[in-house]
Amino acid sequence: MGKKRPIKVEEISKVSSQLSHVDSNELVPLPPPYDGVEGTPEWKPLTDAAKEKYEATLDDTIAVSIPRPKNKEEEDALVRKFLSGLEKLFSKENNWTFLQPLVLSMENCAKCQTCSEACHIYEMSGHNEIYRPLYRSEVLRRIYFKYFKKGGKFFGRWQHGDIDLNWATVARLIELSYRCNLCRRCAQTCPIGADNGLIAHELRKLFSQEMGIAPTELHEKGSVLQLKVGSSTGMNPEVVKDNIEFIDEDMTDMTGIKVETPWDKEGADILLIHNAGEIMAWPENPGAFAVIFEKAGISWTMSSEVVAYDGINYGLWYDDVMLAKVAIKHAEVAKKLGVKKIVLGECGHAHKALTVIADRVLTGDLNIPRESAMTTLEDIVSSGRIKFDPSRNDFPVTLHDPCNMVRLMGIVEPQRRILRQICPQFREMTPNGVNNYCCGGGSGFAIMSGHNFEDWRAQVSGRKKMEQILNAFKDEMDPSIHKYVCAPCSNCKGQIRDLIRYYDMFEKCGIIYGGLVELMVNCMEDAEPGFIQWEMH
Amino acid sequence: MAAAPWFYLVMYTAVLTFTLVVVTRFLKINTMPLHLRWELYPVGHESGEKTKYGGSYFEDLDWWTKSIHKSRANELKAMIPEMVFLVALFEHNRKLWFRSFPFHFGLYMLIGTIGLVLFGAILDLAGIPVGKSSSGLGVLIHYLTVGVAVVGLSLASLGTLGLLHRRLFDPELKDYTTKGDIFNLLFFLVVFAVAWLAFALADGDFSLTRAFVRNLITFNVSAPIGSTLVGIQILLVGLLIAYIPMTHMSHFFIKWFTYHKVRWDDEPNLADSPIAGRIGEQLQYPVTWSASHIKADGRKTWADIATEEIE
């Protein structure tokens, strides 16, 4: 079979039923036992009804569910809105937040393709052209130089390439901005310092902030629900307190250590903010935190104020305004309680949103110090306040590095120093640390499963992580040998859970996943043994 | 051949254009609002053990109570090899490095040649002749100029040919290559070809070029150039100098921003930091985003909409 002709940048504007196709035969093969076709579940095709109702002309999946415009007038109106959004994206008033890095990346990329191989989605898709980090950026660059910059109709086209702007371009660009995990591994390799990940981020903002278009899971069921009810999980303050009470009881039963989570304790040293998804999906994680903090004698509290018991901040991925609203709420509660610092639980994007990105949003006394739980936990371990028995963790353990925490914050070693101390069979993935690969669920994908997006997530964006996990345990693939993927981040954990389920990795390989604190409690001398349950949940 | 003053005028204009465009673009970027943090680790100025693995001050307990040491030496240790040897390209795109490195290093050497020619012109003015029959410093500068120029021109020419070949024939780059990209490389190629011809046929010892530079810095604009080929070379080099900062080739100074102002900018907004003042001003910018959840009306500021309750 001859080599497929690559899709050209300008083809994004050509009206067709589908621009690109994810061919399962072209996906990079996985290591054993998934090296044969029988290990890979069938990709559920999009239904005709979905294709009829939503824009589905990019590839074989839908992330955003944009209703199809009913007529040409509606299409043109949306294109006009896109252009007005583009103008705002490059205005200091509307986009002071990222204007400088955006302009630098837009105007200085040499199109050398150095970034391409760094992208796990592009690589593992078998080099599908539309997933190339540069493809998406180049579409926007051409539009920017042709339609936005002076003299663009001639010089822009000549210097930067031509493109037509129509509804097909805009619709596909919307979807395409959600085929990037925003892990910024591509940016790390750029010799000039251009950042194609940032361009995907800025595109998402344009679509949300100007056109009101964002995946429901991130906006309505995410940020909006969190701001209205208190949490994207839908838990209001009463429910969250009830749930934590149950968790405390369970923890006391499981560990034999009396646990009672303090709520709204003014003047506590630490305000601990979890991703509330943990409370619902992985209660043992906030429970383990409570056990450790109680046993270490830490002065801490959780807040039952709306928003403040959920560390998520999905605005990080698609909307600066939503990001600012949530970050300010978190800081206001910490200020009200008079805590010394906010400690962020095992949630990578919550770390980055509140510690790094919001650092220049939180002014004056709202800029309460924020610290990673990795650091707080390392201090507890190294201080000797808790005695650990590493022999209880004598099984193969590997560590997934959440991009937000590691590549984008430089928190690399504290979690490793803990694992080296408490897990005798700890081994690294390759590559790791700041050169890690995204789990494939980054930038909100882990909570997006509409239509057949989960298939895309498991087979394309999560493929590299799957490969890394399998390679980390390659000599112990026997399912009777229990193995643990430590992922100290809720979204990464969600994605790894979905990968394990999708490929039956627990049954076939004996691999489970969990956080860091679970491993700590599992080997606490004062706790009853057997905290980690070797079953899929 | 055109009257001599034109050649000088072209070069003055070129240098002036280059300076103006670089300064204007630098100021335009530098005066953009302070953006939110968007760093990427490792950051070049990190110090101690953390440099080995890309760690940050966020790894330290109560990091805000400790002084954050930024190592300028480490920054230079990261930046200088990157600028001189294109380390990122070497590590991540070796195929391109074999073409791009000679091109860039050749250009550095050609810039060095201009520096040596300028130095030679100053020596001339100071009464120290430069040439192979001179002695001491004069002969050293002569041979250095010729040597650096020949090696630089060879590397740059080979690099340009290699880059052009990749742009035209490598399927990965071809579809992302524009007419402008090809023009840029051809422009370099023509400049280098004329430079070779001028060197081989008219100015093998750089005496005419040195005389031109001497006249240029003494504003002796009526002095003849002495060779049509050298004249053409001067015009082309002038045009190239003026053209470079108008294109993405301006990354020679843009890189300072992408690294220092974005990738390595981990400056925290602590209590005594000037950051808060700048952010405070920017939070007063009016917002006009149209999506209904933003609730902007053109009068409300960022501070207003960020603190407004959601409906």
Side-chain angles (χ1 to χ4, degrees), chain B residues 33-44:
Chain B
L34 180 68
H35 56 83
L36 302 185
R37 284 171 62 176
W38 196 247
E39 70 256 34
L40 197 54
Y41 289 84
V43 295

Side-chain angles (χ1 to χ4, degrees), chain A residues 149-375:
Chain A
K149 297 291 271 187
K150 277 181 199 150
K153 289 273 162 32
F154 175 70
F155 289 109
R157 273 195 291 187
W158 179 78
Q159 199 163 34
H160 301 281
D162 198 9
I163 198 156
D164 288 329
L165 182 58
N166 52 25
W167 172 242
T169 317
V170 177
R172 285 168 174 160
L173 206 47
I174 295 170
E175 277 292 331
L176 202 47
S177 67
Y178 287 90
R179 299 295 185 278
C180 164
N181 282 121
L182 306 184
C183 75
R184 297 176 65 213
R185 201 170 187 274
C186 58
Q188 212 175 21
T189 65
C190 179
I192 291 170
D195 187 342
N196 287 314
L198 171 73
I199 290 175
H201 176 260
E202 296 300 292
L203 273 168
R204 291 181 181 195
K205 278 169 46 186
L206 185 166
F207 300 131
S208 175
Q209 295 173 189
E210 182 69 5
M211 302 173 78
I213 294 172
T216 314
E217 296 93 332
L218 302 190
H219 188 62
E220 286 88 358
K221 293 180 184 169
S223 306
V224 173
L225 194 60
Q226 182 185 21
L227 287 162
K228 278 185 180 170
V229 178
S231 164
S232 64
T233 58
M235 287 188 293
N236 63 28
E238 286 69 40
V239 174
V240 80
K241 285 175 89 169
D242 277 353
N243 284 346
I244 288 286
E245 198 182 326
F246 287 132
I247 292 171
D248 285 348
E249 284 168 15
D250 278 354
M251 291 303 114
T252 306
D253 290 347
M254 286 172 80
T255 64
I257 295 168
K258 173 79 180 144
V259 173
E260 200 174 330
T261 294
W263 286 100
D264 307 312
K265 198 168 96 184
E266 286 186 18
D269 287 349
I270 288 173
L271 167 65
L272 178 64
I273 308 183
H274 293 293
N275 176 323
E278 301 275 359
I279 298 166
M280 303 290 279
W282 303 287
E284 62 283 359
N285 183 278
F289 263 102
V291 170
I292 294 165
F293 277 21
E294 286 297 292
K295 202 68 198 162
I298 282 176
S299 157
W300 69 292
T301 186
M302 282 179 65
S303 167
S304 65
E305 290 249 5
V306 166
V307 181
Y309 50 85
D310 194 349
I312 68 141
N313 194 339
Y314 295 166
L316 176 72
W317 301 318
Y318 77 99
D319 193 305
D320 285 346
V321 173
M322 300 309 268
L323 171 114
K325 280 179 189 290
V326 171
I328 289 170
K329 292 273 183 201
H330 285 146
E332 280 174 346
V333 167
K335 181 183 152 194
K336 194 172 144 193
L337 288 171
V339 295
K340 289 186 182 150
K341 60 185 172 188
I342 296 171
V343 168
L344 293 148
E346 294 188 10
C347 178
H349 91 273
H351 267 69
K352 195 178 90 172
L354 195 59
T355 316
V356 177
I357 308 292
D359 191 41
R360 293 177 184 171
V361 174
L362 304 172
T363 52
D365 53 5
L366 276 186
N367 204 304
I368 315 282
R370 283 92 66 206
E371 185 171 273
S372 166
M374 302 299 106
T375 306

Side-chain angles (χ1 to χ4, degrees), chain A residues 88 93-94 96-97 100 110 129 159 188 191-192 228 319 325 329 341 359 371 407 409 412-413, chain B residues 29 36 38 41 56 59 62 167 176 178 255 258 263 269 282 288 293 302 305 308-309 311:
Chain A
K88 289 170 194 174
E93 288 79 12
N94 281 300
W96 63 268
T97 50
Q100 191 185 58
E129 193 63 27
Q159 199 163 34
Q188 212 175 21
I192 291 170
K228 278 185 180 170
D319 193 305
K325 280 179 189 290
K329 292 273 183 201
K341 60 185 172 188
D359 191 41
E371 185 171 273
R407 180 164 34 254
M409 282 183 77
V412 185
E413 274 295 309
Chain B
I29 297 166
L36 302 185
W38 196 247
Y41 289 84
S56 75
E59 292 188 330
D62 297 335
R167 284 270 162 213
Y176 294 83
T178 63
K255 210 161 164 169
T258 56
R263 202 165 157 165
N269 181 16
Q282 291 166 196
T288 60
H293 70 274
W302 275 90
I305 62 165
E308 209 166 40
E309 293 297 328
E311 281 166 11

Side-chain angles (χ1 to χ4, degrees), chain A residues 407-449:
Chain A
R407 180 164 34 254
L408 309 180
M409 282 183 77
I411 302 172
V412 185
E413 274 295 309
Q415 57 273 39
R416 288 181 158 73
R417 285 193 282 259
I418 295 172
L419 287 176
R420 284 186 208 115
Q421 194 165 330
I422 66 168
C423 297
Q425 295 193 51
F426 169 60
R427 78 280 313 273
E428 293 278 11
M429 291 186 193
T430 307
N432 58 65
V434 292
N435 299 314
N436 74 319
Y437 279 102
C438 171
C439 61
S443 81
F445 290 2
I447 53 163
M448 290 161 57
S449 293

